[in-house]
Amino acid sequence: MRINENYGNLKENYLFSDIARKVNEYKASHPDADVIRLGIGDVTLPLCKSVVDAMVKATLEMGKKETFRGYGDEQGYSFLQEAIADYYKKRGVALDISEIFISDGAKSDLGNMLDLFSTDNTALIPDPVYPVYVDTNILAGRKIAFLNANEENGFLPLPDENTKGDIVYICSPNNPTGAVYDREGLKKWVDWANACGAVILFDAAYEAFISDDSLPHSIYEIEGARTCAVEVCSLSKTAGFTGTRCGYTVVPEALIRGGKPLRKMWLRRQTTKFNGVPYIVQRGAEAVFTDAGQREIKENIAYYKENARIIADALGRAGIAFSGGVHSPYIWLKCPGGMTSWEYFDLLLNKANVVGTPGAGFGKNGEGYLRLTAFGDRGRIKEAVERIIKLK
Ligand code: PLP
């Protein structure tokens, strides 16, 4: 037998293990140092009350014969699909519930969606980028072309007459840069994809952080997107579901490639390889979309965004250039004095006891940048930024 040799083509993911190693070494030699981590991409606030109440109620239902549930539909319960369809409707996007697939998170769907496409396709991936897009395509042995996201294009690359690819990834608001596409930018991608027959995988994991309603939360707010785009969403950062696990993916009926509706293919893929998200979790997710749930998650998002504002304000005072942090929990700063990502990382760790994520770990265009996240505790963030600006 032969194994999937493509595993050998993956680069070891040194980024987070290198960070952990450096932090551990530093702590071993400075046991009293108070190290603050602004590198984590995980939330820190607990699930909101509406979600917890709904999950407790659902748990009790599972313990009674009359209300117990076994296997559910692979694509999710209709109560949750309907709640999500209503959420889209508020933004003027009409979806049929058969187009909404409940998942255990965006990461799985981003990888699994590739089952629908030939390995002969080329994936077009922005750089810097959320590393999952790259690695899932390497595993499939697909060719990858990179799109440069840099200061010149505001970290928002656009297609031109030379842009070629079959599966294009767009993440807006972006991890790691925090940049957000406006309607005109997304329209250019939609028109390009419809013209050449490519499929856009639109990652909207951070849509709930957008505070300016003139910016699109969903690609389906753009005319023409239903015939070229799949949208992948997550409750991880929106509602603190990183450990609870729930997301949803939209595959419109009108998205047809090779004469086949991708919605039908995805349904077949999910019913073959996936057995659905737990009932208890889906009830918790449903509560996110109630009025009370929306109020509560918005309070948590506002907390993180205020953290981001505090970081941005301090960087501004210190004259450190940065972007992001407004419609995103990520702040993408330019390392001062022309330092490389790792040089600045080492300086912050050693002299300020603050940990960021070196931008170079997200792709070649990330060199010279560092990502800070706003998911931490307010007091610790204030302390960290004071230390960063003192260092300047
Ligand atoms: N997409 C992006 C851009 C992310 O940053 C992340 C998580 O950090 C995910 C998807 C994964 O989300 P989930 O927790 O739903 O798998």
Side-chain angles (χ1 to χ4, degrees), residues 8-64:
N9 298 330
L10 288 173
K11 278 206 209 106
E12 280 302 328
N13 192 353
Y14 292 126
L15 179 62
F16 290 100
S17 53
D18 276 358
I19 294 172
R21 183 180 48 76
K22 281 182 179 252
V23 173
N24 290 339
E25 279 169 11
Y26 182 80
K27 281 173 109 175
S29 53
H30 302 80
D32 296 330
D34 174 24
V35 174
I36 306 180
R37 293 169 193 266
L38 295 189
I40 48 158
D42 199 354
V43 292
T44 53
L45 293 174
L47 293 170
C48 66
K49 182 173 181 319
S50 299
V51 169
V52 173
D53 288 350
M55 291 204 294
V56 168
K57 184 164 171 269
T59 306
L60 295 174
E61 282 175 38
M62 293 296 271
K64 286 201 206 114

Side-chain angles (χ1 to χ4, degrees), residues 198-200 220 225-230 250-257 260-263:
V199 170
I200 296 172
Y220 304 117
R226 294 179 61 90
T227 52
C228 67
V230 166
V250 178
V251 188
E253 191 64 46
L255 177 50
I256 295 173
R257 291 292 181 271
K260 298 261 185 317
L262 294 195
R263 190 198 71 78

Side-chain angles (χ1 to χ4, degrees), residues 124 147 157-163 181 185 188-193:
L124 196 52
L147 286 158
L158 291 172
D160 61 27
E161 59 288 354
N162 300 318
T163 306
Y181 278 97
K188 289 197 174 110
W189 276 115
V190 165
D191 290 346
W192 171 86

Side-chain angles (χ1 to χ4, degrees), residues 105-107 110 130 133 171 175 203 205-206 234 236-237 245 330:
K107 189 181 189 176
L110 284 161
Y130 175 54
Y133 308 158
C171 177
N175 175 14
D203 185 340
Y206 297 94
S234 168
S236 285
K237 311 297 161 69
R245 310 302 308 148
Y330 298 119

